[in-house]
Amino acid sequence: MNKTPFESLDLNLIKVFFILYEELNTHKAAERLHMSQPAVSRTLQKLRDAFNDPIFVKTRHGLSATDKAHFLAQRLPNTWQELADIINHVDEFEFKKLTGKLCVTIHPALIGLISDKLFLALHQTAPQVELVVSVWNSATEQDLLSGKQDFAITMMEPDFSKEMSIKTLPSLFARVYLNKQHPLIDKTIDEQAFTQYPLAVLHVPGWNENITYVEKYLKRRGLSPTIAYRNPHPSSVLSVVAQTQLMHAVGTQYHGISTEKVTSKVIHIDGKPVELNSYFCHHYRHRNKPLFQWLYNTINQIITEQNKAERNR
């Protein structure tokens, strides 16, 4: 009796497939897998034979995934992770024994607040795990679905597919940065203030290069702000704000960036401080993992403490 394709498949090939799919380069994949490049090329040929498809084709810049490869990358992570969980299952979860890489994508306004504190907490709890932080972008959902990213944190509730788990985190006060001699320095910053003075905005390619959140928010209220400066680096934006009458609105105050030459004020809309929720996102396959529950609780605590500090000012 002939074996089915699954019965003939060497499961070690799947690990190589995932790395090749992420890197699209046999040399880079070999480095990550601690294999020689010829060995990776031989494994790729086995993948092609197993799935009766080129899987990856050569291009001028490396490899390009075929439709079959995209299909496998979409469908395999759930099954692969469930299989790993069954095989690796232990009665008592031990964080100290965890190894490998943990990849997170974070909203630009939250990176300074969360990333350092999260790493220090993780390093103490699971010291052998490497934390890799990236900036939220338009590919984040796809990266979470494919397994390229493990979880994400954002300030705007994402419109993700039903495969994603989205948990609400505590809110933070939206703020505007001004120079210390700005005409509005002693006044309440409301929606009308954004029509009186031009804005400097955080312009991150792959995330908000077409329109920023503050523009969307104000336009929904019938207001059209003037954008005078766009830059992907918060430090550059604040440098311009410090030397002009431009204002810079952000979902929460910055951390890890020098703000000595500027002042931040809470934004008020309809007479009330603006609070924006943040969200913890991951693929549904991680829903029962102790590590992801720990991550959620830890991030929740970080934001809760910041929320309390802001309310006490």
Side-chain angles (χ1 to χ4, degrees), residues 25 33 52 62 73 78 93 95 103 149 167 183 189 210 214-215 232 234 262 278 299 308 313:
N25 183 293
L33 291 162
N52 192 30
N78 290 345
F93 188 78
F95 283 97
C103 298
Q149 294 291 322
K167 296 181 180 178
I189 304 298
N210 296 320
V214 66
E215 290 175 89
V262 294
S278 40
I299 295 164
K308 289 180 180 177
R313 286 176 185 160

Side-chain angles (χ1 to χ4, degrees), residues 105 135-146 148-149 160 205-207:
T105 295
V135 179
W136 184 284
N137 59 69
S138 57
T140 294
E141 180 178 14
Q142 181 59 41
D143 289 344
L144 291 168
L145 289 170
S146 69
K148 189 174 182 179
Q149 294 291 322
F160 279 168
W207 174 51

Side-chain angles (χ1 to χ4, degrees), residues 7-291:
E7 291 172 324
S8 303
L9 182 66
D10 178 356
L11 293 181
N12 290 317
L13 300 180
I14 303 301
K15 178 180 179 180
V16 177
F17 167 78
F18 284 135
I19 301 301
L20 278 170
Y21 188 80
E22 291 179 10
E23 297 293 348
L24 293 178
N25 183 293
T26 54
H27 179 71
K28 291 181 179 179
E31 289 182 344
R32 285 183 59 182
L33 291 162
H34 303 292
M35 296 169 62
S36 67
Q37 189 169 354
V40 172
S41 296
R42 289 194 294 271
T43 302
L44 175 55
Q45 186 56 54
K46 292 179 181 179
L47 279 165
R48 289 166 171 162
D49 294 339
F51 292 105
N52 192 30
D53 186 88
I55 303 297
F56 302 103
V57 295
K58 290 184 179 180
T59 68
R60 181 188 290 176
H61 304 292
L63 299 174
S64 177
T66 65
D67 289 343
K68 181 74 169 184
H70 288 308
F71 174 84
L72 292 172
Q74 287 286 334
R75 304 301 196 279
L76 278 176
N78 290 345
T79 305
W80 185 252
Q81 189 60 57
E82 287 175 5
L83 180 61
D85 289 345
I86 292 171
I87 294 173
N88 296 330
H89 176 74
V90 292
D91 292 331
E92 185 177 347
F93 188 78
E94 296 183 76
F95 283 97
K96 296 289 185 184
K97 292 184 178 181
L98 284 176
T99 60
K101 186 181 295 184
L102 189 63
C103 298
V104 56
T105 295
I106 306 179
H107 185 288
L110 293 172
I111 284 183
L113 169 62
I114 292 174
S115 57
D116 295 2
K117 295 182 178 69
L118 177 60
F119 170 75
L120 292 172
L122 179 66
H123 189 62
Q124 183 176 16
T125 303
Q128 299 183 74
V129 174
E130 175 187 354
L131 182 66
V132 181
V133 179
S134 301
V135 179
W136 184 284
N137 59 69
S138 57
T140 294
E141 180 178 14
Q142 181 59 41
D143 289 344
L144 291 168
L145 289 170
S146 69
K148 189 174 182 179
Q149 294 291 322
D150 296 302
F151 66 106
I153 309 162
T154 185
M155 291 203 72
M156 294 165 285
E157 185 172 10
D159 184 20
F160 279 168
S161 70
K162 293 182 179 179
E163 294 181 62
M164 302 300 298
S165 172
I166 302 173
K167 296 181 180 178
T168 302
L169 291 163
S171 62
L172 291 166
F173 291 103
R175 290 181 172 270
V176 64
Y177 281 88
L178 313 165
N179 75 46
K180 296 182 178 180
Q181 288 76 44
H182 198 284
L184 298 179
I185 196 68
D186 295 320
K187 297 182 180 180
T188 298
I189 304 298
D190 58 17
E191 54 265 52
Q192 293 305 319
F194 292 98
T195 64
Q196 298 173 21
Y197 294 91
L199 302 182
V201 298
L202 203 60
H203 171 89
V204 181
W207 174 51
N208 68 347
E209 63 263 45
N210 296 320
I211 184 171
T212 61
Y213 179 75
V214 66
E215 290 175 89
K216 289 181 183 178
Y217 187 92
L218 293 173
K219 284 184 177 181
R220 286 201 299 266
R221 303 185 68 84
L223 302 172
S224 298
T226 298
I227 309 298
Y229 185 58
R230 299 178 188 267
N231 192 290
H233 302 291
S235 57
S236 179
V237 171
L238 294 183
S239 175
V240 167
V241 167
Q243 302 173 69
T244 67
Q245 290 190 348
L246 271 64
M247 305 192 305
H248 174 54
V250 65
T252 182
Q253 70 180 55
Y254 286 119
H255 294 78
I257 298 173
S258 175
T259 57
E260 292 180 359
K261 297 181 180 180
V262 294
T263 297
S264 72
K265 295 173 67 68
V266 174
I267 299 171
H268 288 71
I269 301 294
D270 296 331
K272 298 179 181 179
V274 175
E275 293 186 71
L276 300 177
N277 283 334
S278 40
Y279 300 89
F280 180 82
C281 315
H282 59 76
H283 195 284
Y284 194 63
R285 63 178 174 270
H286 299 310
R287 64 193 181 280
N288 294 323
K289 292 184 178 180
L291 174 60

